Amino acid sequence: MMRAALACLIVACSTLVASAACREDLIKADQDFATSRSALQASSSAPQPVKCAAYRRHVASLTQVSKVFARCDTSNNKAKNTAQTNSTLADFRRQMNDACKK
């Protein structure tokens, strides 16, 4: 659910930005997010080191999304979008920490 909401948020924000640089950054963040999400899903039954690497890449992707949103979101919902992105990032960090315990 959160993954779908974040993907929708990326698309929504891409229509709100004025600068070409932000549009490009949002497109790249969306592509990186989709790639890392797919890799994370594919790693669900993989050995722990593979799963942890997928979680690290996904968390890094979400961190980049958060940075792009902070810089590029000019909508009236910026605070709400930021909170949602940060909440999703925190959830995945917890999941990563749980999955990668030694």
Side-chain angles (χ1 to χ4, degrees), residues 44-95:
S44 65
S45 61
Q48 186 181 16
V50 174
K51 190 180 294 187
C52 288
Y55 266 109
R56 283 191 296 277
R57 283 190 301 272
H58 195 59
V59 166
S61 172
L62 285 168
T63 301
Q64 187 60 32
V65 166
S66 179
K67 290 177 184 177
V68 172
F69 281 177
R71 184 172 47 83
C72 295
D73 187 353
T74 59
S75 73
N76 292 335
N77 294 324
K78 182 174 183 168
K80 178 182 165 187
N81 295 342
T82 299
Q84 182 179 5
T85 304
N86 290 338
S87 174
T88 301
L89 182 55
D91 288 342
F92 276 103
R93 281 191 177 128
R94 277 191 294 279
Q95 290 174 27

Side-chain angles (χ1 to χ4, degrees), residues 9 14 19 34 36 38 42 44 49-50 54 81 101:
L9 186 57
S14 68
S19 79
S36 68
S38 294
S44 65
V50 174
N81 295 342
K101 289 181 182 175

